[in-house]
Amino acid sequence: MLTDLLPGAPVRRQSIPVRLNDLIIPTAEIEKIRNRNYVAEKATADYVLGTKDKEKTQAIIAAMSQIIATAAPGYKHGDRPNAARIAEKIEETGLVDRKKETIAKEISAAWARFGR
């Protein structure tokens, strides 16, 4: 659509038929679009863990939580690891770029699935 703007005049919109064959897109713009899509696809592919990898990671998190809770009773809540306390210490290290609440949820989910 083409919009004509004249000072003081109301906005008018006119439809102008355009054939795709008549569009000219610079090669540089096409490359930018291709690269943007490639980067987004690669980031998504790198970010997603497969099912087996996620299970292994959760099992390791559950095991480490159990080791910590056994070695230091202050990191135990009843008969299970205290996910909130462990998450606080993990956050303090600065090694994980997540909030302690998110870390605690991951620990709790791992323990719920693999903990003993």
Side-chain angles (χ1 to χ4, degrees):
M1 283 199 218
L2 176 65
T3 304
D4 294 329
L5 296 176
L6 299 174
V11 175
R12 288 188 324 228
R13 295 176 187 240
Q14 295 177 335
S15 294
I16 299 175
V18 176
R19 294 187 317 252
L20 292 178
N21 298 1
D22 296 335
L23 291 178
I24 299 173
I25 302 174
T27 305
E29 290 300 316
I30 293 172
E31 287 304 313
K32 282 182 191 176
I33 293 167
R34 282 186 186 150
N35 288 337
R36 209 174 303 139
N37 288 338
Y38 171 75
V39 169
E41 287 171 4
K42 184 167 177 11
T44 300
D46 289 345
Y47 180 75
V48 176
L49 282 178
T51 303
K52 291 286 184 191
D53 290 331
K54 185 163 177 114
E55 287 176 355
K56 280 192 279 186
T57 302
Q58 281 189 322
I60 292 168
I61 291 170
M64 292 174 80
S65 297
Q66 182 177 356
I67 291 166
I68 292 167
T70 302
Y75 292 94
K76 199 172 201 177
H77 184 74
D79 62 342
R80 53 188 298 147
N82 186 331
R85 295 261 341 260
I86 295 170
E88 283 177 20
K89 286 297 182 185
I90 291 172
E91 184 184 46
E92 288 174 12
T93 68
L95 297 173
V96 180
D97 65 344
R98 299 288 183 266
K99 292 182 179 178
K100 63 184 174 189
E101 294 82 11
T102 303
I103 298 167
K105 284 180 187 175
E106 289 294 326
I107 294 169
S108 294
W111 183 258
R113 181 144 190 212
F114 295 100
R116 297 187 180 145

